[in-house]
Structure formats: C-alpha cells, structure tokens
Amino acid sequence: MSDTVRVRFAPSPTGHLHIGGARTAIYNWAFARHHGGSFILRIDDTDKERSTDENTQAILSAMRWLGLDWDEGPDAGGEFGPYSQALRKGIYDQALNELKLAGNTYPCFCDSALLEAKRETARAAKKYSGYDRTCRNIPAHESEKRIAAEEPHVWRIKTPLDRGDIIIDDVIRGQVTFPLSAMDDFVLVRTDTSPTYMFATVVDDWHMGITHIIRGDDHLSNTPRQVIVFEALGAKAPVFAHMGLIFGPDGKRLSKRHGATSVESYREMGYLPEALLNYLALLGWSLDEDNVFDRDTLVRRFELSRVSKNPAVWDIGKLEWMNGVYLREMTAEEFISKVLPLLQDAGLIAGDQASHSSDWLLELAPLVSERIKRLDEVVEMVAFLFTDDLVIDERSFDAVLAKEGASDALEAVASALNEVEMTPEAVEEAMREVHGKLELKPKLVFQATRVAVTGSTVSPPLFESIVLLGRERALKRVWAAVDSIKKRR
RNA sequence: GCCCCCAUCGUCUAGUGGCCAAGGACUCCGCCCUUUCAAGGCGGCAACAGGGAUUCGAAUUCCCUUGGGGGCACCA
C-alpha cells in the first residue's frame, strides 16, 4: 500500500453526537489505527442556522468519552486545516475557480420557483426530475454579461455527457453501477456564493488527502455525484465503504421517537464508555470468537471486509448486558470512582462522611457491581446503608415479617449480633446458630433479618450488609422491626 | 414516479458450492448453585422471505417476486 491511510469523521454540529454517528466515528477511527494512518475530525458546519459551538464542544467531549482520539481536528490542528467548513470559504472559492478554468462548471440563472415547477411536471409525467440543463447552453459571452449585470445565479457541475455509467467499487458492497442518465447538473455553489454539501465535502476530502470514506448507507446514492466532482477537479476519488444504518425496533431509521439517541444520554443513563464502544462496534462488525473485546482488540482486528451490509437494529437489552459485563470486570477502585459522584448527587454521602471511609466503600463495591446493569442503579441499591430512618417496603413486610416466628427470630438475631465480631463470616456463623436453636427455617431467619436491616427482600448479601451497616445501626433496625411487627398485631 | 442498497433464529451475527438435519451472542424458558437479588454452570425454544434457474450438490451463484431502507433540494 503506497498511500498512508487518511480517514475522516465529519459530524454536523446541529445536535449532539448521535449513536449512528458515533459508530461511524468508531469504524473510521479503528480503521485508521489498524493501518497506522490518520483519523481526522472535521466539523461540517456549513448550515449556519442550526450549527452551534456548544454542539461542537458536546460532540468532541462525547468522542473523547468514548475513548476516540484524532490526529487532526479543530482543536488538534494539522497541516490541512482549518477543520471547520465555515472557515474554509476561500478554499471553496478557489476550487470553483479551478472548475471554471477547466470548463467543468457553468452559471445557472433559473430561479427556485421555476425549477420547482419543472420538477413537478417531470414527476407527473413519470420522467427523470433532474435539472434539464437549460442554462448549460447559454453562450459564454452572454452569461458573462448577465453575471456582470449582477443577475442572481448558482454554479452547476457540467456532468460529462459522454462519460459512461459511474461504477463504484465499494469495499463493503462490491461494485455498484449508477447510470449516467440519472445524473443531473447539480448545484455546487449557491446564489449567496456558499458551497453546497456535495461540493464542500468533496473539496475537503480532496484537499485533506482522504483515502477512504467510511460512512452510512444513506450516502451511497450521493456517491456518484461526488465522484463526478472529484473527476471535474482532476482528483482521484477515494475508496468508498458504505455500511448499513442503525434502525429502531420498528425497522425505521433510529430517531428520537425510539428513545435516547445521543451518546451523551447514554453516559447520563449510567452506561460505561467501554461498553458502549464495544456494543456499537458489534453493530455491523463481528469477531468469530468473541462478543466482548477491548479497544486494542478492536483496533488490531478491525477490517472493512468484515463489516456487514445489512442494517442493524438497536437493541438496548444487549447493550445493558454488555454494560453489566464491563461493570463486573471493574476493580473496586474503578467502580467507586465512577459511583462516588452519583452517591454525592443523590445526597447519600455528604452527611455521615466519617463512617464512609474509602475502605468501607471498597468493601461495598463488589457487592453491588455484580448486581447492576447501569451505574445509576447503585443509588437505590445502597440507599439503605446511608439513611437513618429506614422505611420497610410494604410487600416485603407482608411476605416475611408478617410470618409466624419472624419476631422471635429477630429477637434471637439481635442478641446474637450483640456479641459477635463484626466480620461477615462471624455474623453468618452466629446467625446459623440462631436458626438451629430456635428450630426455625433458616430462610425465615435470614429473610426476616434482611427485611429488617435493608428494608426489602431484595438486597446485597446479608452478612456483608450487616457488617457495613455496623453493629449499632443493625441492632437498632432489628429492634425497630420487632416493634412494628407487634404494632401490626 | 425514477435510481440505488439490503434480505440467515425476536435481535446482533458466523457462514463465500459439499465440513450446515445451519454455529455463536443477547433475549426468553427450564434445571443446578443458593438466605434474597444477581452472577455463574448446564440444558432448551427459535432462522436460510417466496419462486424459478445453474450444478452431481446451494444459505452460499444468476433471474424474478415480495418486503424493508436510502437517495432524487440553492439540507447535511
């Protein structure tokens, strides 16, 4: 391979980073890293109305959060900058001039209303609705005069009429042929002298030396137009690779009405960047052996030839599972560092700081990390450890504490806890003795204690929870439960 | 309407003419483990859209149909 790989991701800052865009970015990034090439980030902000700097910043931070890095970009710089289309006007003007000199473009004076009317007529007649090339036949001296007279005009591509069909060798799709007859002389530069997307991206990809364009299927139909522009500029078109889009469960393009679509919202929901990256990578690409792989493996093994053509349906259930896998793999330290801010936000950890030493938190970590799918579930799961007035869940009360013998069991547990050493093993031993002595079912003893201490039949492991809670608070809760059982009677 | 793409379990996919009475993962359902919930282990349900053609042989090649998607702008 003579050329070094150069790929780009060109998001439009009209919103946050979309899940689909993120996947495109990941594939481009992985491809670049795999081949030791460059990954370029370019901001496609030609839509001045809807583009904002806040969005640009949000996209950059979402990408960083996912662990993607780029070699050239608006913040990183690079020799082919600027990396924001809004700042590249001069380059587009220059490119248009070159096209004029080469005779590959011509001014068109047709106004929008007229074009719209023509389109409708053509469609009604079931004919091709592209531009009919009226202005292509205006002699040069005449159009020069009209331009000099400041008559509004756009610049259109002069599609070579003798070119033959446009064949694209798509890495993912194979050979795709577009009949030249379906190509019209589309607009390159608008009346206000701004470039259209079709023109700006091609000029940029050309100037930036992009070697491979990896993007969504939705651009496949635009590709022949872009090839025409590359050729008109005298440039070699890059290699194209079009992957299937991401759909919602109803088979329609994934959008807001299917639920959260931005990377940011998944971060907020408690998904880990590694999990999201892994899951996204799997949506259209796969490894024979594994579903779970790290960043390095993705880079090492990524190949365009293994990217699938068909669209993929967004499956939040699988993402959840994957997130759980990564959650369980974390060390206690990592886990706590992710979870601490959440506990603080929920107001759980501010008050009683002293008893919540980092050792204490580290012991807590493995107990909960194994039981959750999303980080934000932590709060509910550990809340019982932080409150001073525990509320016992009604259904749990009815299911366990209302049973015959519950109160006796709790009293015996209380006296056992009074003496025992505060380690999970010792607590367990003491409690097993309780059910032996009282001839109660172990399940009743354990569950009654669980409900008394944690407020629910569902909780982290019992003995560890008691130890984390501390003797004093545990006892208080057991007695409180005994009281409330008596009150119910 | 015109042009283009896609089509294997509910979902993500493996499969590139015989190794496939189609493999893995998620989900779902059993069982085991077990003081709860998880996790884990074991097992199960479940697919080549339909029709032609090529071939000794087709999930794999070709054609048609059907279904889905995308594009056809002075949006990106």
Side-chain angles (χ1 to χ4, degrees), chain A residues 335-350:
Chain A
F335 185 74
I336 291 305
S337 74
K338 298 258 188 191
V339 150
L340 210 49
L342 295 178
L343 297 180
Q344 281 161 344
D345 285 351
L348 293 183
I349 210 140

Side-chain angles (χ1 to χ4, degrees), chain A residues 219-286:
Chain A
H219 287 282
L220 184 57
S221 299
N222 288 325
T223 307
R225 282 172 241 285
Q226 296 177 3
V227 168
I228 296 283
V229 179
F230 274 109
E231 289 176 355
L233 288 165
K236 187 176 151 227
V239 174
F240 292 96
H242 289 95
M243 53 190 178
L245 298 178
I246 299 178
F247 285 174
D250 58 355
K252 309 276 183 209
R253 248 175 117 140
L254 189 69
S255 69
K256 300 107 257 161
R257 60 198 177 78
H258 295 113
T261 54
S262 72
V263 168
E264 194 171 279
S265 55
Y266 282 90
R267 161 163 60 175
E268 283 162 6
M269 281 188 280
Y271 290 96
L272 301 171
E274 300 79 15
L276 189 57
L277 180 95
N278 190 157
Y279 175 67
L280 244 13
L282 222 43
L283 235 41
W285 178 80
S286 62

Side-chain angles (χ1 to χ4, degrees), chain A residues 132-317:
Chain A
D132 64 5
R133 304 193 163 114
T134 304
C135 293
R136 186 162 172 161
N137 301 316
I138 298 175
H141 64 270
E142 187 190 328
S143 57
E144 274 162 30
K145 235 182 269 172
R146 292 171 72 173
I147 290 170
E150 293 186 357
E151 189 173 336
H153 60 282
V154 300
W155 288 88
R156 291 182 180 273
I157 184 85
K158 196 183 274 180
T159 305
L161 272 14
D162 54 352
R163 187 199 178 285
D165 292 343
I166 301 160
I167 298 165
I168 309 217
D169 267 311
D170 191 285
V171 185
I172 297 172
R173 260 146 237 286
Q175 214 174 63
V176 185
T177 305
F178 294 86
L180 187 75
S181 58
M183 281 311 104
D184 70 344
D185 291 349
F186 52 93
V187 175
L188 300 175
V189 173
R190 303 185 184 101
T191 306
D192 66 359
T193 76
S194 67
T196 59
Y197 163 79
M198 210 64 78
F199 188 48
T201 24
V202 171
V203 170
D204 288 339
D205 289 335
W206 171 44
H207 270 226
M208 292 181 178
I210 301 304
T211 57
H212 301 254
I213 295 183
I214 306 164
R215 46 151 60 151
D217 215 356
D218 49 340
H219 287 282
L220 184 57
S221 299
N222 288 325
T223 307
R225 282 172 241 285
Q226 296 177 3
V227 168
I228 296 283
V229 179
F230 274 109
E231 289 176 355
L233 288 165
K236 187 176 151 227
V239 174
F240 292 96
H242 289 95
M243 53 190 178
L245 298 178
I246 299 178
F247 285 174
D250 58 355
K252 309 276 183 209
R253 248 175 117 140
L254 189 69
S255 69
K256 300 107 257 161
R257 60 198 177 78
H258 295 113
T261 54
S262 72
V263 168
E264 194 171 279
S265 55
Y266 282 90
R267 161 163 60 175
E268 283 162 6
M269 281 188 280
Y271 290 96
L272 301 171
E274 300 79 15
L276 189 57
L277 180 95
N278 190 157
Y279 175 67
L280 244 13
L282 222 43
L283 235 41
W285 178 80
S286 62
L287 229 39
D288 280 337
E289 333 81 81
D290 283 313
N291 277 289
V292 180
F293 44 78
D294 60 22
R295 214 175 291 278
D296 292 341
T297 308
L298 170 63
V299 167
R300 189 156 30 81
R301 303 287 303 280
F302 186 80
E303 283 173 58
L304 282 179
S305 60
R306 281 191 74 93
V307 174
S308 81
K309 303 191 249 237
N310 20 357
V313 173
W314 180 254
D315 181 3
I316 188 113

